[in-house]
Amino acid sequence: GAGVSQSPRYKVAKRGQDVALRCDPISGHVSLFWYQQALGQGPEFLTYFQNEAQLDKSGLPSDRFFAERPEGSVSTLKIQRTQQEDSAVYLCASSLGERVTQYFGPGTRLLVL
Amino acid sequence: QKEVEQDPGPLSVPEGAIVSLNCTYSNSAFQYFMWYRQYSRKGPELLMYTYSSGNKEDGRFTAQVDKSSKYISLFIRDSQPSDSATYLCAMKSGATNKLIFGTGTLLAVQP
């Protein structure tokens, strides 16, 4: 398929563990976004890349959250020393340049025990 | 107070009914308005996109934006059980690329 893919789809971590979530955007999409969706809530913005440049990281909740996109395609969201409050669905979206339309992946469901 | 307010529902309607979903917002800088549909355990899927005020129709779906009232709506005509999902409104200003979402309204269309 040509959509946004994310892996793993589900991740269970023990409190204090580090996790890495992967996003493969639609081929050719220069803009990439990460959102966090808590249960029963709408997605909340975490960070935005244009190619390899991280242009906005204002939504990252703490310095335990780190995102990268070193070659301007695949992106990884890393959460260090996970806490129970990090349990959520992490959504990745991509868009073509400055176009408004963002296409979302299926999300990674993270559960921290 | 959140920038975007949306009634979480749930909203239950019989098949064939007209559904009205809406959001209010406080940031007058919002210029782009979207409706996403999210099925359980799936990512959001874009349904409708409107720039500034006005109406937009696509099949059974109509989106309305009233910037003077800071109020947007999505109407679904002849609702089907397959329309059962969470509907999220989303907005952005021209100065940023990030979307601001409502909490989502859970819709159930009963056959």
Side-chain angles (χ1 to χ4, degrees), chain A residues 1 10 15-16 24-25 27-28 39 41-42 44 47 49 60-61 65 68 79 89-91 97 105 110:
Chain A
Y10 301 92
R15 188 161 52 96
D24 283 82
S27 178
L39 188 64
Q41 301 296 316
E44 293 198 357
T47 188
F49 289 87
L60 296 177
F65 287 71
E68 60 183 6
I79 309 173
V89 176
Y90 290 85
L91 294 163
L110 173 65

Side-chain angles (χ1 to χ4, degrees), chain A residues 58-73:
Chain A
S58 61
L60 296 177
S62 77
D63 59 7
R64 295 186 297 104
F65 287 71
F66 173 76
E68 60 183 6
R69 195 185 185 198
E71 298 178 358
S73 54

Side-chain angles (χ1 to χ4, degrees), chain B residues 12-59:
Chain B
S12 181
V13 301
E15 182 175 355
I18 296 175
V19 177
S20 172
L21 305 166
N22 53 74
C23 290
T24 59
Y25 63 95
S26 57
N27 189 344
S28 58
F30 287 147
Q31 296 179 304
Y32 302 88
F33 304 91
M34 285 137 278
W35 286 96
Y36 282 83
R37 177 175 63 195
Q38 186 174 28
Y39 291 113
S40 181
R41 299 186 181 272
K42 302 288 187 182
E45 169 196 4
L46 182 67
L47 279 177
M48 303 284 287
Y49 153 57
T50 307
Y51 171 69
S52 193
S53 284
N55 295 356
K56 189 171 186 178
E57 188 172 322
D58 184 1

Side-chain angles (χ1 to χ4, degrees), chain B residues 60 69 73 77 89:
Chain B
R60 297 185 295 111
S69 301
S73 301
R77 290 183 297 280
C89 63

Side-chain angles (χ1 to χ4, degrees), chain B residues 25 33 52-54 64-73:
Chain B
Y25 63 95
F33 304 91
S52 193
S53 284
Q64 290 184 349
V65 175
D66 181 349
K67 290 190 73 179
S68 62
S69 301
K70 297 189 177 68
Y71 186 91
I72 71 169
S73 301

Side-chain angles (χ1 to χ4, degrees), chain A residues 35 37 41 48 102 105 109, chain B residues 2 36 38 41 43 97 99:
Chain A
Y35 292 84
Q37 187 173 24
Q41 301 296 316
Y48 158 61
Q102 295 183 20
R109 189 172 297 267
Chain B
K2 291 186 174 183
Y36 282 83
Q38 186 174 28
R41 299 186 181 272
N97 287 301
L99 298 179

Side-chain angles (χ1 to χ4, degrees), chain A:
Chain A
V4 177
S5 61
Q6 293 186 246
S7 61
R9 292 294 314 276
Y10 301 92
K11 177 70 179 177
V12 179
K14 291 183 179 177
R15 188 161 52 96
Q17 279 186 332
D18 297 349
V19 298
L21 313 180
R22 177 187 170 107
C23 173
D24 283 82
I26 294 172
S27 178
H29 280 196
V30 300
S31 296
L32 185 146
F33 305 81
W34 284 98
Y35 292 84
Q36 180 190 59
Q37 187 173 24
L39 188 64
Q41 301 296 316
E44 293 198 357
F45 171 81
L46 293 176
T47 188
Y48 158 61
F49 289 87
Q50 187 169 29
N51 294 304
E52 68 278 2
Q54 189 174 19
L55 298 185
D56 187 346
K57 52 182 181 179
S58 61
L60 296 177
S62 77
D63 59 7
R64 295 186 297 104
F65 287 71
F66 173 76
E68 60 183 6
R69 195 185 185 198
E71 298 178 358
S73 54
V74 171
S75 177
T76 304
L77 176 67
K78 296 179 179 178
I79 309 173
Q80 297 177 324
R81 304 181 304 281
T82 52
Q83 303 295 313
Q84 285 186 319
E85 61 263 29
D86 299 335
S87 296
V89 176
Y90 290 85
L91 294 163
C92 176
S94 69
S95 69
L96 188 61
E98 293 294 315
R99 297 286 178 88
V100 174
T101 303
Q102 295 183 20
Y103 298 89
F104 283 81
T108 294
R109 189 172 297 267
L110 173 65
L111 177 62
V112 182
L113 301 176

